[in-house]
Amino acid sequence: MIEIKGLAKSYGDRRVLKQVDLSVRAGEFLVVLGPSGAGKSTLLRCVNGLVKSDRGEIAIDGRTVRTADLGRREERRPTAMIFQHHNLVKRLSVLKNVLVGRMAGMSSLMALFQLFPARDVEQALACLRRVELEHKAQVRGDQISGGEQQRVGIARALAQEPAVILADEPVASLDPKTARIVLGYLKRICKETDIAVICNLHQVDYAVEFGERVVGLSDGAVVFDGPPDRLSTEI
Ligand code: ADP
Ligand code: ADP
């Protein structure tokens, strides 16, 4: 479903991605494991069109990813991002934060000052239900815990109805217990839907625990691709 071929990206003379080939199936939960600076973030940013690669091809459901598509309003983008810092709008309710996801592609937060179609609100609530936070829908974004904020981030990504969710170190700022809860939701949702998840992690223990397939990225190249139980000997 996602086909990455010969992807390369440099910043100046720093080669961040050298030659990345990767295919990801619908509904697959893929962990990209690598130390800080390995190029994980750059990889995700290329996949969602935020960063233009120097070489190579990325296609999602047969459609080539182009950076030029990013600003388009009407078109639903095939990717949704989750970040280390949830990036919730503090002032807004949890529900409205999820609706922001629904409005992705609109050029400004002015979307928030419009009335939302009931259908969108229903859909946003359904996404909150998936992360078991429907009861917090009317609570402000800064009145919930860090783990809950990250779950809202998952709901916001889901609301975009993407083909793939790109999670860039989604649990890096959470304590281990909370991190496991958040990764648990992400993986469960991936299994319950057809949405593929590419999840960047730098902690081997989470990768082993949650990854079905782990891609090891080191110095801009794939150095491992397989089930996590083969990790200890190969990485
Ligand atoms: P990771 O997510 O694995 O930590 P990144 O993709 O963020 O890796 O970064 C890989 C390398 O590319 C790092 O050395 C980083 O400093 C560099 N880098 C990332 N983004 C930029 C940028 N916009 N301009 C210059 N260098 C960058
Ligand atoms: P808070 O959590 O601080 O109460 P809200 O999420 O209720 O904030 O709303 C944030 C801002 O958006 C407020 O200024 C509010 O007046 C405005 N707003 C909220 N809902 C609507 C709406 N349906 N139409 C227009 N403006 C709205």
Side-chain angles (χ1 to χ4, degrees):
M1 185 202 56
I2 306 173
E3 286 290 344
I4 302 173
K5 283 192 193 134
L7 187 68
K9 174 71 187 172
S10 297
Y11 290 112
D13 52 11
R14 173 111 174 67
R15 292 175 73 203
V16 176
L17 297 176
K18 286 172 183 162
Q19 159 88 22
V20 175
D21 296 281
L22 202 59
S23 42
V24 185
R25 285 180 288 105
E28 191 165 35
F29 188 81
L30 178 78
V31 168
V32 177
L33 176 68
S36 176
K40 305 185 294 297
S41 223
T42 304
L43 174 63
L44 293 196
R45 279 136 70 74
C46 287
V47 174
N48 86 342
L50 211 57
V51 162
K52 191 174 178 349
S53 62
D54 302 331
R55 264 193 295 119
E57 280 240 348
I58 304 173
I60 301 176
D61 286 334
R63 238 189 112 219
T64 303
V65 172
R66 292 178 208 289
T67 44
D69 292 342
L70 203 61
R72 283 200 198 158
R73 288 160 182 241
E74 331 74 52
E75 218 170 295
R76 182 141 294 160
R77 290 184 41 74
T79 60
M81 290 281 284
I82 300 173
F83 304 94
Q84 171 174 353
H85 299 289
H86 38 76
N87 295 346
L88 297 192
V89 184
K90 294 186 175 73
R91 230 166 32 82
L92 295 183
S93 69
V94 162
L95 178 61
K96 283 181 186 159
N97 268 284
V98 176
L99 284 161
V100 175
R102 192 78 185 160
M103 297 289 144
M106 282 209 172
S107 61
S108 80
L109 285 176
M110 287 310 290
L112 288 167
F113 296 95
Q114 296 168 4
L115 288 167
F116 296 106
R119 186 175 47 86
D120 284 9
V121 173
E122 265 316 303
Q123 193 255 10
L125 286 169
C127 294
L128 280 172
R129 217 171 293 138
R130 283 202 177 267
V131 293
E132 296 180 276
L133 281 178
E134 199 184 7
H135 61 293
K136 297 271 172 106
Q138 301 304 335
V139 178
R140 274 175 58 126
D142 56 359
Q143 302 292 310
I144 56 176
S145 71
E148 287 172 337
Q149 293 186 14
Q150 211 50 306
R151 282 153 62 190
V152 175
I154 296 174
R156 183 176 55 186
L158 276 175
Q160 298 171 53
E161 297 175 350
V164 55
I165 291 179
L166 307 169
D168 196 2
E169 302 269 6
V171 299
S173 50
L174 301 176
D175 64 84
K177 183 166 172 254
T178 309
R180 288 191 162 86
I181 292 170
V182 168
L183 287 172
Y185 279 108
L186 198 53
K187 185 167 178 179
R188 190 187 318 160
I189 286 164
C190 175
K191 296 295 102 189
E192 287 171 358
T193 63
D194 242 4
I195 301 174
V197 174
I198 304 180
C199 181
N200 284 354
L201 295 174
H202 68 265
Q203 307 94 322
V204 180
D205 48 348
Y206 296 155
V208 168
E209 195 173 329
F210 291 93
E212 297 174 328
R213 174 181 167 205
V214 177
V215 164
L217 197 66
S218 176
D219 213 7
V222 173
V223 294
F224 176 92
D225 187 347
D229 56 5
R230 292 207 346 250
L231 258 178
S232 52
T233 50
E234 284 196 37
I235 210 166

